[in-house]
Amino acid sequence: MTRSPLAEVIVVTVTYHPDLAQLERQVLALRGVGQHWLVDNASDPAERAGLQRLAANHAWLRLLSLEENLGLAAAVNQAVAQLPAMPASTCLLLLDQDTDWTAEALPGLLAGLDQVTRASGVPCMVGPALHDPATGMNHGFHAIEAGRWVRRQPPAGSRTAVPAASINGSGSLLPLQLFRQVGGLEADFFIDHVDTEFSFRLVAAGVQLWGIPWVQVDHAMGERGRRIWLLGWRLFPDRSPARHAYLYRNTVRLLRRTYVPRVWKFWAVLKLLLTALLCLLYDPRRGAQWRAMGQGVRAGLRDHARVG
């Protein structure tokens, strides 16, 4: 009997105050995978009980409950650390708890990963096209084009993989062996720009990143997506002050690193300024937002001073 390619995939979903009904839809869409790890970052007791019931009802689920919130990156690393040695063909799929996965998405990503790996002859990581359900817009794929940091928006129905400079963490698929070889995610980043740092580190190690536009799933960035006009309609995520503290801190950290592309650094500074302006104009929490942003910048500078 031929072994299904899905059985060679390990899925890791990190949870924190999850919507259990939405999470179960994701779990059911991934029926047939080798293992699906739910790593809970110290949710409430009632939520943990719900996760335990969910794990008891589905044989392919593994639940790892952490006693404190270690953040997204550390939680993923903890799940991978539980795994024994696996065949070289084993792949790792990383998901956010609020990504609306579909049964067709993983087979499509596996086919895309096989296609670009065979064509390039080097290790690869792939990710799907992410669609924001609130605005109806696609996030696109980040790329470097003619010295500019751009979002590529493939036409609907495109069957051509898109070379990317970074891949969003939710939906990223890569060989498990590759994840381990590069040292996993950077735990101290906690949440924001975890995927950005990981993408740049992979590229520096000779890995290619590809967007797979024929695989599309719903995924919301931040608290909700906002459409803004900036030489065309663009999708801009609203985030809480706490998230902005991490975002600004981790951006400052990345600005200091030699393997991070210069074009991204230029774009990142502009985006921090734009984010601060948009919060000033549109967010009723503008005071808390600006304080959190300032705290993040100072923390990033302190981190550099400690290691400099």
Side-chain angles (χ1 to χ4, degrees), residues 13-81:
T13 302
V14 178
T15 63
Y16 182 64
H17 302 311
D19 178 330
L20 291 171
Q22 183 180 35
L23 182 61
E24 184 164 26
R25 289 196 300 271
Q26 182 188 106
V27 167
L28 292 173
L30 287 160
R31 183 188 286 111
V33 299
Q35 295 177 26
H36 187 166
W37 285 76
L38 303 179
V39 188
D40 185 64
N41 260 326
S43 295
D44 295 338
E47 295 164 334
R48 286 194 171 200
L51 290 170
Q52 290 168 354
R53 289 193 296 271
L54 184 62
N57 290 335
H58 303 293
W60 63 95
L61 279 184
R62 306 287 187 272
L63 177 61
L64 177 59
S65 296
L66 305 179
E67 294 305 315
E68 59 180 310
N69 185 357
L70 300 180
L72 174 68
V76 170
N77 290 344
Q78 292 238 352
V80 172

Side-chain angles (χ1 to χ4, degrees), residues 6-18:
L6 297 186
E8 296 188 332
V9 177
I10 306 296
V11 185
V12 177
T13 302
V14 178
T15 63
Y16 182 64
H17 302 311

Side-chain angles (χ1 to χ4, degrees), residues 84-106:
M86 294 278 189
S89 57
T90 304
C91 287
L92 178 67
L93 174 68
L94 304 180
L95 284 176
D96 289 353
Q97 64 184 17
D98 55 357
T99 299
D100 283 323
W101 204 248
T102 65
E104 300 79 20
L106 182 53

Side-chain angles (χ1 to χ4, degrees), residues 142-210:
H142 282 126
I144 297 174
E145 191 174 278
R148 297 179 299 123
W149 185 262
V150 299
R151 283 183 191 267
R152 288 179 174 157
Q153 297 283 0
S158 173
R159 301 290 299 183
T160 302
V162 178
S166 70
I167 293 290
N168 188 279
S170 188
S172 56
L173 177 74
L174 75 165
L176 173 63
Q177 187 177 62
L178 176 59
F179 182 90
R180 285 173 158 163
Q181 284 173 352
V182 298
L185 304 180
E186 185 159 344
D188 197 40
F189 267 48
F190 197 80
I191 185 165
D192 284 290
H193 278 324
V194 169
D195 46 6
T196 308
E197 188 282 329
F198 187 58
S199 291
F200 293 154
R201 186 154 34 95
L202 285 172
V203 171
V207 177
Q208 290 188 6
L209 311 182
W210 296 86

